Amino acid sequence: MAERSTAAVDVADNSGDEPLTAKADEATTDGTAESQDTKGTKPQDTDGERISSEVTLPTPDLHSGHKLARRYRLEECVTRLDGFSSWRAVDEKLRRAVGVHLLPADHPRARSVLAAARSSALLGDPRFVQVLDAVEEDDLVYVVHEWLPDATELTSLLASGPMDAHDAYQLVSQVSQAMAAAHREGLAHLRLTPGAVLRSSTGQYRIRGLAVNAALRGITADGPQRADTEAIGALLYAALTQRWPYESDAYGLAGLPKGVGLIAPDQVRAGVHRGLSELAMRALANDGATASRQEQPCTTPDELAKAVAAMPRIRPPEPVFTAPPEYQRTTYQQGSYGRPSARPGAPVTMPVMAAPPAPLQSRTGKALKWAVSALLIAALGLGSWQLAETLLNNESSDPGSTQTDPKNGEDGKKKSTGQLLTVKDAVEYFPDGKAQHPNDVHLTYDGDGSTYWRSKSFIGGPKLAPFKQGVGIVYELDSAQFISSASVSLQFGGDHTTASLYAADSLNSSTPLTSMKKIATTETTGTEAKLQTKNPVKTRFVLVWLTDMPKSPADRYSSAGYKQSITEVKFMG
């Protein structure tokens, strides 16, 4: 078997680090982090790969809140490695989340990082996470790229188990086609790891760090097309087996047993698609899949993409439908009426049915039928007259009402009673895990308008998204009640506060907002939000959710910014 490069699979430079599963957050947000504990670590040489050997450099001493170009506000450092750092940031001009790589302008790799970022930006292929800006300013070089909060990286997908054949087919098809397009423009990745591949909510795969991730680490390769092809083969191998195709463990995946060499995926795990297994071997072992097979090796992403296209299309699995319960016969059908005896040896005889009586055909019978018919008609007429009289009496006693139930409206739906509902308990709702002031929620229903629960002060507003989807409190009533309206008293007025009511199922912050039913929403510039629903909704738990807040001056508790406080909440039935 020909020598296999690890240029794009990144095994050697992970040895000795803690498992990558412990760094899931870093890899998810940045795609460049393997370990932040890199003090004293020197780059290592690997087969087919050259990593620059300069000593570890200090990273720029920046902090959260620092602004680049008076536009990109740094929020959270997700990687600090070998003289550069990577951040989650906010583009305040376009009000969106972005990622930023930072390194000193005198860093030995600063020029190559700038060149790689600008070349990647010119590609403009939507299958890659786009580079938005690449700038040298104030002794710093920084690269700004897209941030995809709704995408999931391949590392997380593989943590739950191997993919089915259709998903693995889509992965290798989309990634190989994307990398073939990049190589046609002279761009290589060289760091195509599971952390560099993202799957969007629509099922599309996107690749981040094209050229830039390798430039940040000084990685080069004599055969970049072969290195990227082998990396795609490793991704396909991992997708089919949930194993890394090398002896070393990496990216939260166990490696192959030591001493056995590279074995085909269908020999590692039962039920693996034969065609995809051979395709992975053709990309990984570039001298051919196996000794018994005659397929040519795939040494470039373009060859791999053509090999995928030549395969029979793998269709998605059929949806699984739950079988309906077996039809239950009625007691009458399960009985023995009209059936022969089941006793062994007993003669099978059908019961003799008596002939039905003759109909009433005599003169007396006909007279009796007419008398019964007349009585029924008279009874129906009398009943109808009594019913009409009752309805007229009800209308005369209440001329302005046409409903038959005082608790229901004209269309039969529950109508508002205006009754004040009792709040039993409340907790702060923070599905992102970042609470505001959870110990003060009881002050919003204590009957004292001078006490309140408050949010923190936010820099961006009035809409908190995308930095934070909202803040709020879930209230528990003493029982399940119909809610028709609510009054939320606020501390700050101004432009503007948006409040919404949701019917929740528990006092639990882990319940997603999308699973709740929205009852009502309103926007106000004053200090009171009135929420009214067309049709009352029955629930025991109610969420008051604030998504927009006015800009307010500093007070003794918080600095100036977009913030709000709830002094009192009342629910009406």
Side-chain angles (χ1 to χ4, degrees), residues 45 85 102 108 167 190 202 247 280 298 323 380 393 479 496 559:
D45 292 334
S85 59
L102 277 166
D167 287 342
L190 305 183
T202 60
E247 292 185 354
C298 298
L380 288 173
N393 289 338
S479 63
H496 59 269
S559 60

Side-chain angles (χ1 to χ4, degrees), residues 430-499:
F430 47 98
D432 59 356
K434 299 178 182 179
Q436 304 297 295
H437 294 91
N439 295 329
D440 295 338
V441 294
H442 67 282
L443 301 177
T444 62
Y445 60 97
D446 60 354
D448 185 355
S450 63
T451 60
Y452 52 86
W453 166 90
R454 59 192 173 88
S455 73
K456 295 180 180 179
S457 181
F458 297 92
I459 298 176
K463 184 176 291 296
L464 301 183
F467 325 117
K468 192 172 182 67
Q469 296 305 312
V471 297
I473 300 173
V474 181
Y475 295 89
E476 180 183 8
L477 306 178
D478 56 358
S479 63
Q481 302 281 346
F482 280 97
I483 295 178
S484 61
S485 63
S487 174
V488 182
S489 298
L490 308 169
Q491 185 179 12
F492 302 111
D495 184 21
H496 59 269
T497 300
T498 300

Side-chain angles (χ1 to χ4, degrees), residues 429 472-475 500-504 513 516 541-545:
Y429 178 72
I473 300 173
V474 181
Y475 295 89
S500 300
L501 288 185
Y502 287 85
L513 191 67
M516 303 182 189
F541 303 95
V542 191
L543 168 64
V544 175
W545 186 240

Side-chain angles (χ1 to χ4, degrees), residues 366-404:
K366 292 181 179 180
L368 181 60
K369 287 192 293 183
W370 281 107
V372 172
S373 300
L375 288 174
L376 288 175
I377 293 172
L380 288 173
L382 180 61
S384 300
W385 176 77
Q386 289 178 337
L387 178 60
E389 185 179 24
T390 302
L391 292 176
L392 290 174
N393 289 338
N394 287 342
E395 289 184 0
S396 61
S397 61
D398 186 7
S401 174
T402 59
Q403 58 194 30
T404 59

Side-chain angles (χ1 to χ4, degrees), residues 7-173:
V9 293
D10 190 24
V11 174
D13 59 336
N14 282 325
S15 57
D17 289 346
E18 65 180 285
L20 287 179
T21 49
K23 301 295 181 182
D25 289 341
E26 299 160 9
T28 299
T29 54
D30 173 53
T32 62
E34 259 68 32
S35 173
Q36 294 197 28
D37 185 15
T38 58
K39 295 181 180 179
T41 302
K42 295 183 179 180
Q44 304 177 41
D45 292 334
T46 57
D47 296 337
E49 175 188 60
R50 295 192 301 275
I51 305 179
S52 61
S53 58
E54 60 264 25
V55 297
T56 303
L57 299 173
T59 56
D61 186 15
L62 300 176
H63 55 83
S64 298
H66 182 87
K67 285 188 182 180
L68 301 172
R70 292 185 291 183
R71 173 176 178 177
Y72 304 112
R73 186 179 74 248
L74 303 182
E75 291 287 316
E76 178 185 7
C77 183
V78 294
T79 306
R80 195 177 295 276
L81 178 71
D82 197 18
F84 74 88
S85 59
S86 298
W87 295 74
R88 176 176 61 82
V90 174
D91 182 350
E92 293 188 336
K93 183 177 181 180
L94 299 179
R95 298 186 57 79
R96 62 179 177 181
V98 294
V100 177
H101 299 306
L102 277 166
L103 66 165
D106 57 356
H107 193 288
R109 296 194 288 271
R111 304 271 75 77
S112 60
V113 169
L114 274 177
R118 289 166 179 170
S119 298
S120 178
L122 291 175
L123 181 62
D125 192 319
R127 292 172 292 191
F128 294 90
V129 174
Q130 299 296 299
V131 171
L132 305 174
D133 211 349
V135 180
E136 179 178 357
E137 182 182 68
D138 297 333
D139 298 327
L140 285 177
V141 167
Y142 58 89
V143 176
V144 183
H145 61 85
E146 281 185 297
W147 190 274
L148 306 176
D150 64 334
T152 305
E153 71 174 41
L154 188 59
T155 307
S156 301
L157 296 175
L158 295 180
S160 60
M163 293 182 174
D164 61 42
H166 176 261
D167 287 342
Y169 173 82
Q170 290 296 325
L171 168 69
V172 68
S173 176

Side-chain angles (χ1 to χ4, degrees), residues 301-358:
D302 188 58
E303 291 178 359
L304 183 58
K306 291 178 179 177
V308 176
M311 288 180 58
R313 183 178 179 84
I314 300 176
R315 299 187 178 278
E318 293 292 334
V320 179
F321 296 99
T322 304
E326 185 179 355
Y327 176 69
Q328 298 294 323
R329 295 180 179 274
T330 63
T331 305
Y332 172 82
Q333 291 169 317
Q334 291 174 343
S336 59
Y337 179 79
R339 296 183 182 178
S341 172
R343 185 159 41 92
V348 178
T349 57
M350 296 298 292
V352 179
M353 300 295 294

